[in-house]
Amino acid sequence: MAVKIRLARRGRKKMAIYDVVVADARAPRDGRFIEKIGSYNPNTDPASININNDRALKWLMNGAQPTDTVKAMLSYRGVMLKKHLQIGVVKGAITQEQADEKFNAWLETKEKAIASKVDKIQSARDSVKKAALEAEAAKNQARLDAIKKREDDAAAAVAAAEAEARAAEAPKEEAPKEEPVAAEEPKEEAPAPAAEAPKEEEAPKAETKAADAPQEETPSADKSADSEDKKD
């Protein structure tokens, strides 16, 4: 029976998570399997790979064939290197201590590289987050400045309108004050004595006429007396 080490899909839509399983090559991808030896989550950065190295090495030494994806994952975890060293030990090319020493040196270097990559990714993520926060702060400040400018413009417009209204009302209030003064000035300049002078001059004329009236009446009386004498 041909045995393969492959991925079995699980998880929801667009958020797939895979199990690393040992299964019969004739079984469907998500069908029955012999043993589950790990998991793979490509949704994280970097991708999460959890594999039982000892069980994977045992199946590889027993002739299980990994798929291309699983082989890359096993190489990333150092399982393929460990298999190569173990084959050397079996053939007598190297001792087990030498194989373990080489694998530990490689594993230390690999872990440093992984940690450096994780730090780099985290630093890049922090930089992007910081830039986004700064951009958001600048956007908010620009919005506040625009609102303040509109408020200042509105206040300036209101002040200008009030100033124009006061300027328009000022002449209307002063005009009535100036008109009475202009109307009183002719009254003060009118010569009151000149108006009274003719009245004083006319009064003697009336008296002279009254005085002259009896002088006119005496001749009439004399005439009546003469007429009576004549009748007698």
Side-chain angles (χ1 to χ4, degrees):
M1 179 180 68
V3 177
K4 281 196 171 185
I5 305 175
R6 63 187 182 190
L7 299 178
R9 188 184 188 281
R10 63 182 176 87
R12 58 192 177 89
K13 186 177 181 180
K14 295 184 179 179
M15 291 291 290
I17 299 176
Y18 299 89
D19 292 330
V20 181
V21 298
V22 179
D24 186 355
R26 297 169 295 182
R29 185 195 66 176
D30 300 331
R32 296 179 63 181
F33 56 86
I34 302 172
E35 183 182 0
K36 176 182 174 181
I37 61 174
S39 64
Y40 168 60
N41 184 4
N43 301 310
T44 60
D45 189 14
S48 300
I49 301 174
N50 297 316
I51 296 177
N52 188 335
N53 294 344
D54 295 336
R55 296 302 298 172
L57 179 62
K58 180 181 177 181
W59 281 106
L60 289 174
M61 295 300 293
N62 290 335
Q65 297 296 319
T67 60
D68 293 340
T69 304
V70 174
K71 186 176 182 179
M73 292 166 57
L74 294 176
S75 297
Y76 180 80
R77 295 285 295 181
V79 177
M80 300 303 294
L81 175 62
K82 199 167 186 179
K83 175 191 173 184
H84 176 72
L85 294 174
Q86 195 64 33
I87 292 173
V89 172
V90 172
K91 291 181 178 181
I94 57 175
T95 63
Q96 187 65 45
E97 290 77 8
Q98 291 175 342
D100 293 341
E101 184 179 355
K102 288 183 178 181
F103 179 77
N104 291 332
W106 177 90
L107 186 61
E108 184 179 356
T109 304
K110 187 67 174 180
E111 287 178 352
K112 288 181 180 179
I114 293 172
S116 177
K117 183 179 180 181
V118 170
D119 293 340
K120 186 177 180 181
I121 292 172
Q122 185 64 34
S123 177
R125 188 182 292 114
D126 293 341
S127 299
V128 172
K129 186 177 180 180
K130 183 178 179 181
L133 291 175
E134 291 177 355
E136 185 68 20
K139 186 178 179 180
N140 292 335
Q141 186 63 36
R143 187 184 295 111
L144 292 175
D145 293 341
I147 293 172
K148 185 177 179 181
K149 186 176 183 301
R150 287 197 298 270
E151 291 177 353
D152 294 341
D153 294 342
V158 171
E162 291 178 355
E164 291 179 359
R166 286 195 298 270
E169 291 175 359
K172 293 180 181 180
E173 292 177 356
E174 293 176 358
K177 293 180 181 179
E178 294 178 356
E179 288 177 359
V181 175
E184 288 176 0
E185 287 178 358
K187 291 180 181 180
E188 292 177 359
E189 292 177 357
E196 292 176 358
K199 292 181 181 180
E200 293 178 358
E201 292 176 356
E202 288 176 359
K205 290 181 180 180
E207 291 177 358
T208 52
K209 288 180 180 180
D212 293 340
Q215 293 178 2
E216 291 177 358
E217 287 178 358
T218 49
S220 61
D222 293 340
K223 287 180 182 180
S224 60
D226 291 339
S227 60
E228 288 178 357
D229 291 335
K230 287 179 180 182
K231 287 180 181 180
D232 294 337

